[in-house]
């Protein structure tokens, strides 16, 4: 009745931004991401007959309120599927800043889903696990897989065909991602409330949704052909379109800081000197820079010299869900 799983975050190259069903977490558009080996969550779930409710610690601190509710609501779904009404002790460690735009909800819910289902005795296929994980946090359904993964929005009202599928495995392509840390504090507008406000009020949201199919087709082709320019160009443009929708919302908002803009401009300048580097940004101020292994030194040096940058953390393409045995835990 106990299991531990490790899951990595992912960075969306085609963003998930908007829900058509908030309860089931069904998106308005397909999205596509690359799993990152540098940021991850390790979660242990133990079901215990003596518990009268779930308990949740994150980084060794007891969690209450909204973050606790999201975990216990998710465990209710696991209990329903398994037909067992046992409460659990959940202990999670984030090797990623929490709620700061580094996709902690992706690694967090992927690790929780994997550990919670294994501990309760379910053996799900990867598709089934991805579909369940989606209901914890949408972006998390892509973190079941390593390499490049696409979340297919699905057509069904019950969400039965809404889960991620692999596009290319980890070893397909050695691209690198530098996470440029400007501010690792909790964001003011969560991804969930930011996209809700955008769907409900931004006149730009329609244009966003309409632009997805061609971006998706181009990026998938680029990934399969290992065409870095194509992938970078599409990813950067898709990110800018997503962030543009927030400026049209009511009340308007942006996740960017002045330093976010500095990093974006520096990446574009670097590109004009012949170094292929492209940026993308999730729901937060921090920038992820895509580059190729041979340019690592140049890219790192350039990013570290930007004023306001507190850290630059490097990732390679990461692996999917991994179950850990007790002796592997440190
Ligand atoms: P992020 O950019 O970090 O994904 P979100 O606003 O999407 O930010 O999600 C952050 C929320 O994800 C947290 O407030 C918490 O509810 C949840 N979360 C983060 N890490 C974990 C974890 N390890 N286990 C369970 N839930 C987590
Ligand atoms: C901008 O998956 O964090 O990072 O489904 O409400 O938990 P919920 O939101 P979340 O949203 C991620 C938004 C994004 C883009 C992406 O990861 O695709
Ligand atoms: Co998130």
């Amino acid at each position: 009745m106990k299991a531990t799983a490790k899951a990595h975050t992912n960075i969306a190259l085609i963003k998930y931004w908007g829900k058509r069903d908030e309860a089931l977490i069904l998106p308005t558009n397909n999205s596509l991401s690359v799993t990152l080996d540098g940021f991850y969550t390790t979660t242990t779930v133990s079901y215990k007959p003596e518990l009268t409710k779930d308990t949740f610690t994150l980084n060794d601190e007891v969690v209450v309120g909204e973050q606790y509710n999201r975990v216990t609501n998710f465990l209710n779904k696991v209990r329903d599927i398994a037909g067992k009404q046992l409460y659990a002790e959940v202990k999670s460690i984030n090797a990623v800043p929490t709620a700061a735009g580094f996709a902690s909800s992706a690694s967090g819910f992927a690790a929780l889903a994997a550990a919670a289902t294994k501990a309760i005795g379910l053996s799900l296929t990867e598709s089934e696990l991805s579909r369940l994980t989606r209901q914890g946090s949408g972006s998390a359904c892509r973190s079941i897989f390593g390499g490049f993964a696409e979340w297919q929005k699905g057509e069904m009202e019950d969400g039965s065909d809404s889960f991620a599928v692999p596009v290319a495995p980890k070893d397909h392509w050695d691209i690198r991602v530098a996470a440029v840390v400007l501010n690792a504090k909790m964001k003011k507008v969560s991804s969930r409330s930011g996209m809700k406000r955008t769907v409900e009020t931004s006149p730009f949201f329609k244009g966003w949704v309409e632009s997805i199919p061609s971006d998706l087709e181009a990026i998938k082709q680029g990934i399969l052909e290992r065409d870095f320019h194509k992938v970078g160009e599409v990813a950067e443009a898709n990110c800018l379109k997503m962030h543009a929708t927030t400026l049209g919302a009511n009340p308007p908002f942006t996740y960017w800081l002045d330093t976010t803009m500095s990093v974006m401009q520096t990446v574009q300048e670097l590109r004009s000197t012949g170094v292929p580097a492209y940026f993308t940004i999730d729901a937060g101020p921090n920038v992820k820079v895509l580059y190729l292994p041979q340019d690592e030194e140049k890219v790192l040096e350039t990013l570290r010299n930007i004023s306001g940058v507190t850290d630059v953390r490097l990732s390679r393409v990461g692996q999917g869900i991994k179950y850990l045995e007790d002796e592997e835990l440190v």
Side-chain angles (χ1 to χ4, degrees):
M1 297 307 283
K2 178 179 175 187
T4 299
K6 178 177 175 182
H8 293 87
T9 64
N10 65 75
I11 175 76
L13 304 179
I14 304 294
K15 307 292 182 193
Y16 146 51
W17 195 242
K19 293 180 179 68
R20 65 179 200 271
D21 184 318
E22 283 166 23
L24 289 171
I25 310 199
L26 296 177
T28 48
N29 64 275
N30 288 23
S31 54
L32 185 147
S33 63
V34 55
T35 302
L36 302 180
D37 79 347
F39 296 102
Y40 54 88
T41 297
T42 309
T43 298
T44 301
V45 176
S46 320
Y47 293 95
K48 299 188 169 176
E50 67 269 25
L51 290 176
T52 52
K53 63 183 186 86
D54 297 315
T55 64
F56 175 39
T57 63
L58 179 56
N59 300 336
D60 295 322
E61 288 185 18
V62 175
V63 176
V64 293
E66 180 53 28
Q67 294 194 341
Y68 170 83
N69 292 342
R70 275 181 78 165
V71 167
T72 194
N73 289 340
F74 185 78
L75 290 174
N76 286 339
K77 296 181 203 299
V78 176
R79 282 185 278 263
D80 282 352
I81 297 173
K84 291 183 190 159
Q85 295 308 314
L86 277 173
Y87 291 109
E89 176 189 270
V90 178
K91 291 185 172 181
S92 186
I93 303 288
N94 275 348
V96 52
T98 303
F102 290 95
S104 69
S105 69
S107 55
F109 278 95
L112 178 66
T117 52
K118 183 168 186 231
I120 210 163
L122 290 167
S123 55
L124 304 182
T125 63
E126 283 183 323
S127 308
E128 287 167 341
L129 183 59
S130 175
R131 183 167 55 202
L132 172 65
T133 303
R134 185 200 82 221
Q135 296 175 65
S137 176
S139 55
C141 78
R142 301 183 307 239
S143 274
I144 300 305
F145 300 98
F148 299 81
E150 178 182 359
W151 174 10
Q152 299 184 332
K153 68 183 182 73
E155 302 300 331
M156 308 295 285
E157 265 176 48
D158 65 359
S160 53
D161 58 351
S162 187
F163 49 81
V165 298
V167 169
K170 173 178 173 302
D171 297 331
H172 170 70
W173 198 12
D174 182 13
I175 64 165
R176 306 281 168 91
V177 179
V180 183
V181 184
L182 304 166
N183 178 347
K185 292 203 194 94
M186 300 248 294
K187 50 196 173 195
K188 291 194 189 82
V189 183
S190 68
S191 306
R192 187 158 292 186
S193 61
M195 72 175 84
K196 180 172 156 64
R197 194 191 303 174
T198 303
V199 172
E200 287 170 357
T201 65
S202 178
F204 306 148
F205 186 69
K206 187 167 175 278
W208 158 253
V209 173
E210 283 169 4
S211 77
I212 297 294
S214 64
D215 280 5
L216 200 64
E217 196 186 340
I219 209 156
K220 281 201 275 192
Q221 198 183 4
I223 291 167
L224 296 178
E225 291 168 356
R226 299 187 189 87
D227 181 339
F228 189 70
H229 293 279
K230 184 182 245 171
V231 168
E233 262 174 29
V234 175
E236 193 171 295
N238 186 269
C239 152
L240 290 171
K241 276 183 283 199
M242 176 211 124
H243 285 270
T245 65
T246 70
L247 296 176
N250 183 13
F253 66 106
T254 181
Y255 288 105
W256 296 355
L257 299 172
D258 51 354
T259 41
T260 309
M261 196 74 109
S262 303
V263 178
M264 292 192 275
Q265 283 165 345
T266 304
V267 170
Q268 287 176 339
E269 277 160 25
L270 189 63
R271 207 152 69 222
S272 69
T273 69
V275 178
Y278 295 85
F279 63 78
T280 183
I281 307 164
D282 273 350
N286 307 294
V287 183
K288 316 290 181 312
V289 180
L290 311 170
Y291 62 93
L292 291 169
Q294 62 266 28
D295 299 315
E296 187 148 284
E297 217 173 307
K298 179 82 192 149
V299 170
L300 250 183
E301 190 202 323
T302 308
L303 296 175
R304 287 208 166 117
N305 279 329
I306 304 171
S307 148
V309 170
T310 58
D311 195 9
V312 180
R313 291 176 57 176
L314 306 185
S315 279
R316 296 184 181 215
V317 180
Q319 62 176 345
I321 280 293
K322 192 169 178 243
Y323 296 95
L324 304 182
E325 303 304 327
D326 281 352
E327 55 272 23
E328 291 178 86
L329 296 172
V330 278

Coordinates of all heavy atoms in Angstrom, one line a residue, residues 41-43 56 58 66-68 70-71 90 92-94 96-109 112 137 139 186-187 189-192 282-283, ligand 1:
T41 N 9.8 16.1 -9.4 CA 9.1 15.9 -8.1 C 9.3 14.4 -7.7 O 9.1 13.5 -8.6 CB 7.6 16.2 -8.2 OG1 7.5 17.6 -8.5 CG2 6.9 15.9 -6.9
T42 N 9.5 14.1 -6.5 CA 9.5 12.7 -6.0 C 8.4 12.7 -4.9 O 8.4 13.4 -4.0 CB 10.8 12.3 -5.4 OG1 11.8 12.7 -6.3 CG2 10.9 10.8 -5.1
T43 N 7.4 11.7 -5.1 CA 6.3 11.7 -4.2 C 6.1 10.2 -3.7 O 6.1 9.3 -4.5 CB 5.0 12.2 -4.9 OG1 5.2 13.5 -5.3 CG2 3.8 12.0 -4.0
F56 N -0.8 15.6 3.7 CA 0.1 16.0 2.6 C 1.2 16.9 3.1 O 1.0 18.0 3.7 CB -0.8 16.8 1.5 CG 0.0 17.3 0.4 CD1 1.1 16.7 -0.2 CD2 -0.3 18.6 -0.2 CE1 1.8 17.2 -1.3 CE2 0.3 19.1 -1.3 CZ 1.4 18.4 -1.8
L58 N 4.7 18.9 1.7 CA 5.5 19.3 0.5 C 6.8 19.9 1.0 O 6.7 20.8 1.8 CB 4.7 20.3 -0.3 CG 5.3 20.8 -1.6 CD1 5.8 19.7 -2.6 CD2 4.4 21.8 -2.3
E66 N -5.9 25.4 -0.3 CA -6.1 25.0 -1.7 C -5.2 23.9 -2.2 O -5.6 23.0 -2.9 CB -6.0 26.3 -2.5 CG -6.2 26.2 -4.0 CD -7.5 25.5 -4.4 OE1 -8.5 25.6 -3.6 OE2 -7.6 24.8 -5.5
Q67 N -3.9 24.0 -1.8 CA -3.0 23.0 -2.3 C -3.3 21.6 -1.8 O -3.1 20.6 -2.5 CB -1.5 23.4 -1.9 CG -1.1 24.7 -2.6 CD 0.4 24.9 -2.5 OE1 1.1 24.3 -1.7 NE2 1.0 25.7 -3.4
Y68 N -3.7 21.6 -0.5 CA -4.2 20.3 0.1 C -5.4 19.8 -0.6 O -5.5 18.6 -1.0 CB -4.4 20.5 1.6 CG -5.1 19.3 2.2 CD1 -4.3 18.2 2.6 CD2 -6.5 19.3 2.4 CE1 -5.0 17.1 3.2 CE2 -7.1 18.2 2.9 CZ -6.3 17.1 3.3 OH -6.9 16.0 3.8
R70 N -6.5 20.3 -3.6 CA -6.2 19.7 -5.0 C -5.7 18.3 -4.9 O -6.0 17.4 -5.7 CB -5.2 20.6 -5.7 CG -5.8 21.8 -6.4 CD -4.8 22.6 -7.2 NE -4.4 22.0 -8.5 CZ -3.8 22.7 -9.4 NH1 -3.5 24.0 -9.3 NH2 -3.4 22.1 -10.6
V71 N -4.9 18.0 -3.8 CA -4.3 16.7 -3.7 C -5.4 15.7 -3.2 O -5.6 14.6 -3.8 CB -3.1 16.7 -2.7 CG1 -2.7 15.3 -2.2 CG2 -1.9 17.4 -3.3
V90 N 0.7 11.5 2.0 CA 1.4 11.9 0.8 C 2.6 12.7 1.2 O 2.5 13.7 1.9 CB 0.5 12.7 -0.1 CG1 1.3 13.1 -1.4 CG2 -0.7 11.8 -0.5
S92 N 5.8 14.7 -0.5 CA 6.3 15.1 -1.8 C 7.5 16.1 -1.7 O 7.5 16.9 -0.8 CB 5.2 15.8 -2.6 OG 5.7 16.0 -4.0
I93 N 8.5 15.9 -2.5 CA 9.6 16.8 -2.6 C 9.7 17.4 -4.0 O 9.8 16.6 -4.9 CB 11.0 16.1 -2.2 CG1 10.9 15.4 -0.8 CG2 12.1 17.1 -2.3 CD1 10.9 16.3 0.4
N94 N 9.7 18.7 -4.1 CA 9.8 19.4 -5.4 C 11.3 19.8 -5.6 O 11.8 20.6 -4.8 CB 9.0 20.6 -5.4 CG 7.5 20.3 -5.8 OD1 7.2 19.2 -6.3 ND2 6.7 21.3 -5.7
V96 N 12.0 21.6 -7.9 CA 11.6 22.6 -8.8 C 10.9 23.7 -7.9 O 10.2 23.3 -6.9 CB 10.6 22.0 -9.8 CG1 9.5 21.2 -9.2 CG2 9.9 23.1 -10.7
P97 N 11.0 25.0 -8.2 CA 10.3 26.0 -7.4 C 8.8 25.8 -7.6 O 8.3 25.5 -8.7 CB 10.7 27.3 -8.1 CG 12.0 27.0 -8.8 CD 11.9 25.6 -9.2
T98 N 8.0 25.9 -6.5 CA 6.6 25.6 -6.5 C 5.8 26.8 -6.9 O 6.0 27.9 -6.4 CB 6.1 25.2 -5.1 OG1 6.9 24.0 -4.7 CG2 4.7 24.8 -5.0
A99 N 4.9 26.6 -7.9 CA 3.9 27.7 -8.3 C 4.6 28.9 -8.8 O 4.1 30.0 -8.6 CB 2.9 27.9 -7.2
A100 N 5.8 28.8 -9.4 CA 6.5 30.0 -9.9 C 6.6 30.0 -11.4 O 7.4 30.9 -11.9 CB 7.9 30.0 -9.2
G101 N 5.9 29.2 -12.1 CA 6.0 29.2 -13.5 C 7.1 28.2 -14.0 O 7.5 28.3 -15.2
F102 N 7.5 27.2 -13.2 CA 8.4 26.2 -13.6 C 7.7 24.8 -13.8 O 8.3 23.8 -13.8 CB 9.6 26.0 -12.6 CG 10.5 27.2 -12.7 CD1 10.4 28.2 -11.8 CD2 11.5 27.3 -13.6 CE1 11.3 29.3 -11.8 CE2 12.4 28.3 -13.6 CZ 12.3 29.4 -12.7
A103 N 6.4 24.9 -13.8 CA 5.6 23.7 -14.1 C 5.6 22.7 -12.9 O 5.7 21.5 -13.2 CB 5.9 23.0 -15.4
S104 N 5.6 23.2 -11.7 CA 5.6 22.2 -10.6 C 4.3 21.4 -10.6 O 4.3 20.3 -10.1 CB 5.8 23.0 -9.2 OG 4.6 23.8 -9.0
S105 N 3.2 22.0 -11.1 CA 2.0 21.2 -11.1 C 2.1 20.0 -12.0 O 1.4 19.0 -11.8 CB 0.8 22.1 -11.5 OG 0.8 22.5 -12.8
A106 N 2.9 20.1 -13.0 CA 3.1 19.0 -14.0 C 3.9 17.9 -13.4 O 3.4 16.7 -13.3 CB 3.8 19.5 -15.3
S107 N 5.1 18.2 -12.8 CA 5.8 17.1 -12.2 C 5.1 16.6 -10.9 O 5.1 15.4 -10.6 CB 7.2 17.5 -11.8 OG 7.2 18.7 -11.1
G108 N 4.4 17.6 -10.2 CA 3.8 17.2 -8.9 C 2.6 16.3 -9.1 O 2.5 15.2 -8.4
F109 N 1.7 16.6 -10.1 CA 0.6 15.7 -10.2 C 0.9 14.4 -11.0 O 0.3 13.3 -10.8 CB -0.6 16.4 -10.9 CG -1.4 17.2 -9.8 CD1 -1.1 18.5 -9.6 CD2 -2.3 16.5 -9.0 CE1 -1.8 19.2 -8.6 CE2 -3.0 17.2 -8.0 CZ -2.7 18.6 -7.8
L112 N 2.4 12.3 -8.2 CA 1.3 11.9 -7.3 C 0.4 10.8 -8.0 O 0.1 9.8 -7.3 CB 0.4 13.1 -7.0 CG -0.8 12.8 -6.1 CD1 -0.4 12.3 -4.7 CD2 -1.7 14.1 -6.0
S137 N -3.7 18.2 -12.9 CA -3.3 19.4 -13.6 C -3.1 19.1 -15.0 O -2.5 18.1 -15.3 CB -2.0 19.9 -13.0 OG -1.5 21.0 -13.7
S139 N -1.3 20.2 -17.6 CA 0.0 20.0 -18.2 C 0.7 18.7 -17.7 O 1.6 18.2 -18.3 CB 0.9 21.2 -17.8 OG 0.9 21.4 -16.4
M186 N 6.2 32.6 -5.7 CA 4.9 32.2 -6.1 C 4.3 33.3 -7.0 O 4.4 34.4 -6.6 CB 4.0 31.9 -4.9 CG 4.5 30.8 -4.0 SD 3.5 29.3 -4.0 CE 2.0 29.9 -3.3
K187 N 3.7 32.9 -8.1 CA 3.1 33.9 -8.9 C 1.8 34.4 -8.3 O 1.1 33.7 -7.6 CB 2.9 33.3 -10.3 CG 2.2 32.0 -10.4 CD 2.4 31.3 -11.8 CE 1.9 29.9 -11.8 NZ 2.4 29.2 -13.0
V189 N -1.0 35.2 -10.1 CA -2.1 34.6 -10.9 C -1.7 33.2 -11.3 O -0.8 33.0 -12.0 CB -2.5 35.4 -12.2 CG1 -3.7 34.9 -12.9 CG2 -2.6 36.9 -11.8
S190 N -2.4 32.2 -10.7 CA -2.1 30.8 -11.0 C -2.4 30.5 -12.5 O -3.2 31.3 -13.1 CB -2.9 29.9 -10.1 OG -4.3 29.9 -10.5
S191 N -1.8 29.5 -13.0 CA -2.1 29.1 -14.4 C -3.6 28.9 -14.5 O -4.2 29.3 -15.5 CB -1.4 27.8 -14.8 OG -0.1 27.9 -14.5
R192 N -4.2 28.2 -13.5 CA -5.6 27.9 -13.6 C -6.5 29.2 -13.7 O -7.3 29.3 -14.6 CB -6.0 27.1 -12.4 CG -7.4 26.5 -12.4 CD -7.5 25.3 -11.5 NE -6.8 24.2 -12.0 CZ -6.8 23.0 -11.4 NH1 -7.6 22.8 -10.4 NH2 -6.1 22.0 -11.9
D282 N 6.3 29.9 -19.8 CA 5.0 29.4 -19.3 C 4.4 30.5 -18.5 O 4.7 31.7 -18.6 CB 5.3 28.1 -18.5 CG 5.2 26.9 -19.4 OD1 4.9 27.0 -20.6 OD2 5.6 25.8 -18.9
A283 N 3.4 30.1 -17.6 CA 2.7 31.2 -16.9 C 3.5 31.6 -15.7 O 3.3 31.2 -14.6 CB 1.4 30.6 -16.4
Ligands
LIG1 P1 3.4 25.9 -11.8 O1 3.9 26.9 -12.8 O2 4.4 25.7 -10.7 O3 2.9 24.7 -12.5 P2 0.6 26.3 -11.2 O4 -0.1 27.5 -10.7 O5 0.2 25.7 -12.4 O6 2.2 26.7 -11.1 O7 0.5 25.1 -10.1 C1 1.1 25.2 -8.8 C2 0.2 24.3 -7.9 O8 0.5 23.0 -8.2 C3 0.6 24.5 -6.4 O9 0.0 25.6 -5.8 C4 0.1 23.1 -5.9 O10 -1.3 23.2 -5.7 C5 0.4 22.2 -7.0 N1 1.6 21.4 -6.8 C6 2.9 21.8 -7.0 N2 3.8 20.9 -6.6 C7 3.1 19.9 -6.2 C8 3.4 18.6 -5.6 N3 4.7 18.2 -5.5 N4 2.4 17.7 -5.2 C9 1.1 18.1 -5.4 N5 0.7 19.3 -5.9 C10 1.7 20.2 -6.3

